[in-house]
């Protein structure tokens, strides 16, 4: 069973940094793409970043240059390093997994809150 657990959220001042972790269960195939999404109050969920099984990455324009997604291998957590945080980055951050060949992220974690004070 594919399960994802996020951690690392918290309260940080504007300009600060946080590193979020997404730990996939051992049953999560190494080929799956892992993505980070966020949802702010009153807004729709939006894409932040993703990393494929071959470690190719992609970022939303709103976070490029401030966020780095990484993983050492398929059995280690996927990290989302966020620097120079802004109040508009405040949201619940979710990680999700997408199976090979699928267009949709079908597995989701419970989310972790990130609050950036201005």
């Amino acid at each position: 069973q594919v399960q994802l657990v996020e951690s690392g959220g918290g309260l940080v001042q504007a300009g600060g940094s946080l590193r979020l972790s997404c730990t996939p269960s051992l049953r999560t195939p190494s080929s799956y793409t892992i993505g980070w999404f966020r949802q702010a109050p009153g807004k729709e969920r939006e894409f932040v970043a993703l990393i494929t099984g071959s470690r190719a990455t992609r970022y939303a324009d709103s976070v490029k240059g401030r966020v780095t997604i990484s993983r050492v291998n398929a059995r280690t957590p996927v990290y989302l390093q966020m620097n120079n945080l802004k109040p508009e980055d405040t949201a619940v951050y979710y990680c999700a997994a997408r199976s090979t060949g699928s267009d949709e992220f079908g597995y989701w974690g419970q989310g972790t809150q990130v609050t950036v004070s201005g």
Side-chain angles (χ1 to χ4, degrees):
Q1 186 177 359
V2 176
Q3 292 182 321
L4 305 163
V5 178
E6 304 98 333
S7 62
L11 174 64
V12 64
Q13 291 186 337
S17 298
L18 278 177
R19 189 179 77 163
L20 306 183
S21 298
C22 173
T23 302
S25 61
L26 292 178
R27 291 181 179 267
T28 305
S30 60
S31 60
Y32 278 22
T33 291
I34 304 294
W36 282 97
F37 296 78
R38 65 186 182 186
Q39 187 167 21
K43 295 187 177 181
E44 292 188 353
R45 186 169 59 197
E46 65 175 2
F47 167 75
V48 177
L50 66 79
I51 186 166
T52 68
S54 58
R55 292 187 234 173
T57 59
R58 189 168 61 186
Y59 298 93
D61 289 343
S62 59
V63 302
K64 273 182 184 176
R66 300 189 298 120
V67 167
T68 303
I69 189 170
S70 65
R71 73 187 314 182
V72 175
N73 58 55
R75 294 295 171 230
T76 60
V78 173
Y79 298 108
L80 189 71
Q81 177 68 44
M82 303 188 294
N83 301 322
N84 191 23
L85 284 162
K86 306 175 182 180
E88 51 264 43
D89 294 317
T90 294
V92 177
Y93 283 71
Y94 299 90
C95 73
R98 184 177 73 191
S99 61
T100 305
S102 174
D103 292 332
E104 296 184 0
F105 285 84
Y107 307 92
W108 292 83
Q110 292 184 320
T112 185
Q113 176 71 46
V114 171
T115 303
V116 184
S117 63

